[in-house]
Amino acid sequence: MTKDYSSFGPAYRNFMVSEGVYVPEPIADFSGDNPFTRMAPIRGKNKDIAFDETYTYLDKSLKFKILHALVYLVAWTVAFPLNRIRFGLKIEGREKIRQNRKLFAGGVMTVCNHVHRWDMLCVLQAMRFRTAWIPMYAQPFNGKDGFIMKYIGGIAIPEDYGGLRKFNEAMDELHSRKRWIHIFPESCSWKYYAPLRPFKTGAFNMAYRYALPIVPMIITFRPRTGWRKLFGKGEPLLTIHVGDPIVPDLKAARRDEAARMRDLAHKTMLDMAGIVSNPWPSHID
């Protein structure tokens, strides 16, 4: 049996899930027309950083190395357990990371839906004690979250063509170091939104360029139960699902292969989430 959630509004049109899949009620008026509407405000915007060819996209300073290590130490020792306690995080399919260790030796790209303030923590917990580098919208680096965004491994996406060359050089170097890269292909966060939005193709072009296997992940929700009702009122519990890796076929044309990987990742994530009918296609041209 399936349940239809079209009554939740235009952004849930024709949205149906398998029996037993929990869908939280909307906490915002999500757009039914533009899936790339930015919902999260920039907190405490007080900087004026120029994201151009003068910006340091990959900081190699000693200060960065120390703070980067400290941020991950706090994440692993404090934030990871807190995520388990506060949001009851469950991880399904993490053995696929271990089973494909050799495949991932040259680096990997993970992708996930963008639905929670701590969703990057969920991805890192699924990866288990690995670091990741994350291309992100540039403007939030101007706000209060800029510090944690930078030192968790955020790479600002430049706003002009002058900065794009420097950004690409930074990504080239990260790939040469065989680092893990994470991208949210929905591009912006819609908090606790259960449907899967269309994907930007850029992530999959990058995976083809660097010959990176893609690991699709998706966060789903569970009702808050038991002692966890004592805090986090109105917030669902979280499960992150890890899918089988998608390996790029470098014999195929880049455009065709990027589209194939994008569509397969989208479908894999729909299946893992138990989504039977989705309001959005895999992409919007």
Side-chain angles (χ1 to χ4, degrees):
M1 293 182 62
T2 60
K3 187 171 180 179
D4 189 332
Y5 286 89
S6 298
S7 61
F8 278 6
Y12 291 80
R13 62 188 180 280
N14 302 319
F15 180 58
M16 293 187 289
V17 297
S18 299
E19 185 176 5
V21 173
Y22 175 70
V23 178
E25 291 193 16
I27 65 167
D29 185 15
F30 299 117
S31 172
D33 299 316
N34 182 6
F36 306 122
T37 302
R38 299 187 192 181
M39 304 289 292
I42 299 174
R43 302 196 313 154
K45 186 175 181 180
N46 55 13
K47 303 174 187 176
D48 190 21
I49 303 171
F51 299 99
D52 55 20
E53 69 276 6
T54 66
Y55 179 76
T56 302
Y57 293 93
L58 186 58
D59 194 337
K60 301 178 186 178
S61 67
L62 179 61
K63 175 186 175 181
F64 177 85
K65 292 176 182 177
I66 292 172
L67 290 176
H68 181 62
L70 286 175
V71 165
Y72 267 92
L73 180 62
V74 171
W76 292 335
T77 59
V78 179
F80 280 15
L82 186 59
N83 207 16
R84 294 271 194 183
I85 294 169
R86 181 177 177 183
F87 294 106
L89 180 67
K90 292 183 178 180
I91 304 170
E92 296 188 358
R94 185 162 60 183
E95 69 278 358
K96 295 170 186 175
I97 302 291
R98 183 183 66 255
Q99 292 167 353
N100 290 284
R101 195 174 302 165
K102 290 184 178 179
L103 176 63
F104 300 158
V108 67
M109 177 182 289
T110 55
V111 296
C112 187
N113 56 334
H114 206 356
V115 292
H116 190 258
R117 181 169 173 78
W118 288 15
D119 47 19
M120 190 62 221
L121 274 180
C122 298
V123 171
L124 291 172
Q125 284 182 257
M127 289 163 50
R128 178 169 277 184
F129 302 115
R130 291 176 175 86
T131 59
W133 298 86
I134 314 111
M136 300 177 174
Y137 277 129
Q139 283 306 315
F141 283 83
N142 281 307
K144 290 173 61 176
D145 295 327
F147 176 90
I148 191 66
M149 290 171 62
K150 177 177 178 178
Y151 291 106
I152 200 69
I155 307 290
I157 300 173
E159 300 175 328
D160 63 19
Y161 288 105
L164 186 59
R165 179 173 60 86
K166 294 294 185 179
F167 172 84
N168 286 332
E169 288 176 1
M171 300 308 298
D172 288 346
E173 182 166 344
L174 290 173
H175 173 58
S176 71
R177 296 186 199 171
K178 302 179 181 179
R179 303 303 193 198
W180 287 42
I181 297 170
H182 178 77
I183 294 182
F184 291 106
E186 292 175 317
S187 81
C188 56
S189 179
W190 283 14
K191 196 172 183 180
Y192 305 140
Y193 183 65
L196 189 60
R197 286 174 287 145
F199 288 170
K200 299 279 189 176
T201 307
F204 305 93
N205 283 324
M206 183 182 293
Y208 181 92
R209 175 183 178 185
Y210 295 133
L212 293 175
I214 297 171
V215 177
M217 302 183 184
I218 189 165
I219 294 170
T220 59
F221 310 104
R222 311 190 313 275
R224 189 166 287 269
T225 58
W227 57 268
R228 289 192 175 90
K229 288 184 177 180
L230 297 175
F231 50 87
K233 185 177 180 181
E235 297 178 320
L237 302 181
L238 308 176
T239 302
I240 187 166
H241 309 259
V242 181
D244 291 318
I246 300 169
V247 180
D249 178 4
L250 301 183
K251 295 180 181 179
R254 177 198 56 79
R255 182 174 180 177
D256 294 340
E257 183 60 6
R260 181 192 72 86
M261 292 189 293
R262 177 200 64 210
D263 295 347
L264 179 55
H266 198 270
K267 182 181 185 305
T268 298
M269 292 161 70
L270 289 174
D271 291 344
M272 288 192 292
I275 297 174
V276 177
S277 176
N278 196 56
W280 309 100
S282 64
H283 70 288
I284 295 177
D285 293 325

